[in-house]
Amino acid sequence: MKYLAAPALFLALATSASAEAGPMTITRSGSHPVQRTPAANCTGDVRFIQLAPVSSPHRSSSTSVTFARGARTAWHSHPGGQTLVVTSGTGWIQAWGEKRQEIRVGDTIWTPPGVKHWHGATATAGMTHLTIQGIVDGRVVDWNEKVSDEQYK
Amino acid sequence: MKYLAAPALFLALATSASAEAGPMTITRSGSHPVQRTPAANCTGDVRFIQLAPVSSPHRSSSTSVTFARGARTAWHSHPGGQTLVVTSGTGWIQAWGEKRQEIRVGDTIWTPPGVKHWHGATATAGMTHLTIQGIVDGRVVDWNEKVSDEQYK
């Protein structure tokens, strides 16, 4: 499958246990289910694994998301803001009303609460990033309309 | 400097802005200060960069920590628990009263609140991991005694 060709880090990442109590838990590389982002919330092939669940005692959730080239989220915002860390490839990110910017491995992006934006791969290269988002009233994201091809390019 | 020879991902990671409001902020790879873990809280060469600050609206903080071979944290616990994601190298982790375990790239470790433990590099290889820890009463960690050479090996 296509996503198996994605960078090793993405394949390797796995979730932590969601239980608040109990012993230390190690989830080995590659052993966690890869999930697909629902089509309503993205364009193209977008897959992720959950690193820290929304029920986390961290009060934040964390994922690793891989976008195939051309793939991107829909427009959206985060009620608790979001930190992204690009771990592989090259991507694009754009806040509403601002210019699209290229993001590369090691770049970190802070999107404040409520700022409408999208992120994804470039048209020619895939991209993987880690995400950390605050949980506000049980929510980590508010979805809006899709990013049109005109907006994307 | 020695840490400059560390894996690219570590060097590349950078912090997000701490402001809750304002525009999206991109911190470029390599542009964030590398900090040293205080000697009281570790053994050997342990350096980190802050990805999401303790004042984060995420209600969790996040760092990338690099351990030179032989280096490790002191024994400690996290009032809000901690998720680790190994991003480079090979390390060891041990919960109090349990066996030491080896952790490798892509492994994810969940340590529940209050569980006393340590983590670090192996005796022969460095290790870098991302961390996400919950903030409880402004604290992300409670430090204990150092890990002796006997405990480490």
Side-chain angles (χ1 to χ4, degrees):
Chain A
M1 285 180 292
K2 193 165 162 198
Y3 74 88
L4 289 176
L9 181 62
F10 168 66
L11 294 171
L13 292 173
T15 195
S16 64
S18 61
E20 291 216 18
M24 176 184 286
T25 310
I26 300 180
T27 307
R28 294 298 179 183
S29 174
S31 62
H32 208 75
V34 177
Q35 303 178 62
R36 294 198 70 139
T37 298
N41 300 335
C42 67
T43 301
D45 189 316
V46 183
R47 306 188 187 212
F48 69 99
I49 57 176
Q50 196 83 32
L51 297 171
V54 175
S55 61
S56 167
H58 296 144
R59 302 185 188 86
S60 63
S61 74
S62 179
T63 64
S64 175
V65 188
T66 293
F67 300 85
R69 65 188 171 87
R72 66 270 189 181
T73 67
W75 289 98
H76 64 285
S77 62
H78 301 283
Q82 183 181 57
T83 296
L84 301 175
V85 183
V86 181
T87 54
S88 175
T90 305
W92 287 335
I93 190 166
Q94 184 177 23
W96 187 262
E98 300 184 20
K99 274 195 192 171
R100 191 188 72 193
Q101 297 196 68
E102 188 169 289
I103 51 177
R104 296 170 292 270
V105 173
D107 290 350
T108 303
I109 302 95
W110 163 242
T111 303
V115 171
K116 185 174 173 178
H117 69 296
W118 65 268
H119 32 118
T122 69
T124 53
M127 189 267 286
T128 298
H129 61 47
L130 295 176
T131 78
I132 307 168
Q133 43 280 326
I135 303 171
V136 177
D137 299 333
R139 296 187 346 271
V140 296
V141 58
D142 293 313
W143 290 106
N144 302 114
E145 73 278 14
K146 290 200 183 195
V147 175
S148 70
D149 286 348
E150 292 68 33
Q151 291 172 323
Y152 178 67
K153 299 219 165 141
Chain B
M1 286 180 291
K2 194 164 162 199
Y3 73 88
L4 288 176
L9 181 62
F10 168 66
L11 294 171
L13 292 174
T15 196
S16 65
S18 60
E20 291 216 17
M24 174 184 287
T25 311
I26 300 180
T27 306
R28 294 297 178 183
S29 173
S31 63
H32 208 74
V34 176
Q35 303 177 62
R36 295 199 70 138
T37 299
N41 300 335
C42 67
T43 301
D45 189 317
V46 183
R47 306 187 186 211
F48 69 99
I49 56 175
Q50 197 83 32
L51 298 171
V54 175
S55 61
S56 167
H58 297 144
R59 301 186 191 84
S60 63
S61 74
S62 179
T63 65
S64 175
V65 188
T66 293
F67 301 85
R69 65 190 172 87
R72 65 272 190 181
T73 68
W75 289 98
H76 64 286
S77 62
H78 301 282
Q82 182 181 59
T83 296
L84 300 177
V85 184
V86 181
T87 53
S88 175
T90 305
W92 286 334
I93 191 166
Q94 184 177 21
W96 187 261
E98 299 184 22
K99 274 196 194 170
R100 191 190 71 195
Q101 298 196 67
E102 188 169 289
I103 51 177
R104 296 170 293 270
V105 172
D107 290 351
T108 303
I109 303 95
W110 163 241
T111 303
V115 172
K116 186 174 172 179
H117 70 296
W118 65 268
H119 33 117
T122 69
T124 55
M127 189 265 287
T128 298
H129 60 46
L130 295 177
T131 79
I132 307 168
Q133 42 279 325
I135 303 171
V136 176
D137 298 333
R139 295 184 350 269
V140 295
V141 59
D142 294 314
W143 290 106
N144 301 115
E145 73 277 15
K146 289 198 185 198
V147 176
S148 70
D149 287 347
E150 292 67 34
Q151 291 172 324
Y152 178 68
K153 296 218 166 141

